[in-house]
Amino acid sequence: MVNYTNRVMTALESAMGHEIAWPDRQERVVNSAHFAGLGFPGCIGLVDGTLVKLSQRPRDDGETYFDRKSNYSMNVQVICNQNKRVIYFFAGMHGSCHDLTCLRRSSLWGRLGSAQLFDNGQYLLGDNGYLPVDRLVCSYKRTADDMDKVDFNTCVAHARVGNEHCIGILKAPLHSLKEIRTQLRNPAENAYVIRWMRCCIILHNFLIWRRDKWSEDDHPIEVEREDELGPPPQGARQCSRRGLERRQAVQRTCLEINRMPGGLLCR
C-alpha cells in the first residue's frame, strides 16, 4: 500500500511545475483586471495562512506546534488567484507561528521585489496578520474612529473571501488536510507530510483546471473567518481605492525605514 501511495505522489509531483506556478505577465494582467473590479487594481493574488491539524503531538518540540485553537498543527501559507487556484504555498512551520513569520521564512519573501514576479503597481492582498511592505497590501490592525480605515478593511475582507473559499474547497474533499493522522517523529516524517500537502494542492489545482463540478451537499465548505463579514460600504470600489492609496503611502514610509540600518526587516 505504501508503494502504491508513493507512486501516486510521485506522479502528482511530476506535474508540480505546471499545476502550482506563479502567473506569467499575461496572467497577471488578467488577475489585476479582475481585482480592479473589486476596487484593488494591481492585485494579482490573495495571501492567507491556514492551520492543518495534527492528530498527535510531534515528538520533538511538540509544544511549538500547539496553536491558538488548542490543537497541534502546521501553518500553511496559501496564495491563490481569483479562480481559487493556488499559485504558491509554503508549509512546514509550527502551528504556533504567526502568519507573517511563516511568510518571512518562505522563498517568496526575498523575491517580493522581483520584476519576474511582479510588474509595476502589482501586489498581493492580505489581512492584518501581515505587514504593509513592498508588493504586499494588507488591512489595518487598528482603525479607531477612522471610517476610511474601517471601510477599507471591509473592502479587503470582501476581496479576500476568495482565498478563504479556496482553502475551504481545498480541505473539504481532501479529508486528510482536516487532520494529519500520523505523529511527526523525525525530519523525514515532517518532509513526508509537507510532500503530502503538496500533492493535495496539485490535485486541487488540477480539479480547478478541469472545472470539476463542486457540490456543497457532498463536501460542505468550512470557511475560516475570525469575524462576521458585513455588507460592503456604499461606493465600495471608490472607498477601497481611496484606502488603497493611503495604505500604499504607508508602505512607502515603511520601505524608507527598512532601508535604514537597523530597520525592522533588515534583521
Side-chain angles (χ1 to χ4, degrees):
M1 186 65 180
V2 173
N3 287 336
Y4 285 121
T5 301
N6 279 325
R7 288 177 184 176
V8 172
M9 292 172 70
T10 299
L12 286 171
E13 288 177 318
S14 67
M16 179 176 172
H18 173 71
E19 293 299 334
I20 306 179
W22 195 263
D24 59 26
R25 176 164 292 179
Q26 184 176 356
E27 290 172 331
R28 294 198 297 269
V29 170
V30 173
N31 296 357
S32 179
H34 169 83
F35 289 110
L38 300 176
F40 295 97
C43 176
I44 63 168
L46 307 170
V47 58
D48 200 4
T50 185
L51 297 172
V52 175
K53 184 179 177 182
L54 303 174
S55 64
Q56 302 178 55
R57 181 183 188 274
R59 189 177 68 179
D60 297 330
D61 302 319
E63 67 280 359
T64 62
Y65 288 85
F66 198 69
D67 61 38
R68 66 182 188 280
K69 297 181 179 179
S70 299
N71 297 314
Y72 294 103
S73 66
M74 275 188 177
N75 184 302
V76 182
Q77 295 293 300
V78 176
I79 300 176
C80 72
N81 64 14
Q82 68 276 12
N83 299 318
K84 303 175 181 64
R85 183 181 178 90
V86 178
I87 60 176
Y88 180 84
F89 85 102
F90 177 69
M93 295 295 290
H94 305 168
S96 63
C97 287
H98 195 276
D99 281 344
L100 177 60
T101 301
C102 295
L103 189 61
R104 277 177 166 169
R105 298 289 180 88
S106 72
S107 60
L108 177 65
W109 184 260
R111 301 187 65 196
L112 283 178
S114 170
Q116 292 181 323
L117 303 184
F118 299 89
D119 292 321
N120 290 336
Q122 293 181 344
Y123 56 89
L124 300 173
L125 190 63
D127 63 16
N128 60 14
Y130 301 94
L131 282 177
V133 297
D134 191 24
R135 307 300 186 185
L136 181 58
V137 171
C138 55
S139 51
Y140 291 94
K141 292 183 183 295
R142 299 181 181 85
T143 58
D145 296 324
D146 190 329
M147 290 308 300
D148 279 347
K149 291 184 178 180
V150 173
D151 288 345
F152 177 74
N153 279 8
T154 302
C155 291
V156 171
H158 277 271
R160 289 186 56 261
V161 163
N163 188 288
E164 293 159 358
H165 285 173
C166 170
I167 292 172
I169 292 173
L170 169 65
K171 289 184 174 182
L174 302 172
H175 295 282
S176 61
L177 294 183
K178 294 183 178 179
E179 185 176 64
I180 301 292
R181 296 183 178 276
T182 186
Q183 185 183 30
L184 304 181
R185 294 169 294 185
N186 52 58
E189 291 183 351
N190 189 303
Y192 183 85
V193 168
I194 296 172
R195 185 184 175 207
W196 181 272
M197 293 179 186
R198 180 191 304 129
C199 289
C200 288
I201 292 173
I202 292 171
L203 184 58
H204 163 85
N205 278 357
F206 178 77
L207 294 175
I208 292 291
W209 175 70
R210 293 279 297 182
R211 297 182 180 177
D212 184 56
K213 292 186 178 179
W214 181 260
S215 172
E216 287 200 49
D217 293 332
D218 296 332
H219 307 291
I221 300 176
E222 297 178 6
V223 178
E224 301 174 358
R225 291 204 61 81
E226 297 292 337
D227 51 8
E228 292 297 323
L229 181 61
Q234 292 185 350
R237 187 178 301 179
Q238 288 74 20
C239 83
S240 62
R241 289 190 179 184
R242 184 170 63 249
L244 180 61
E245 291 172 359
R246 290 183 60 183
R247 200 54 166 149
Q248 288 176 326
V250 173
Q251 283 181 251
R252 287 191 290 271
T253 302
C254 288
L255 287 172
E256 290 303 319
I257 294 173
N258 293 326
R259 290 191 185 102
M260 298 177 187
L264 178 62
L265 302 183
C266 295
R267 295 178 184 176

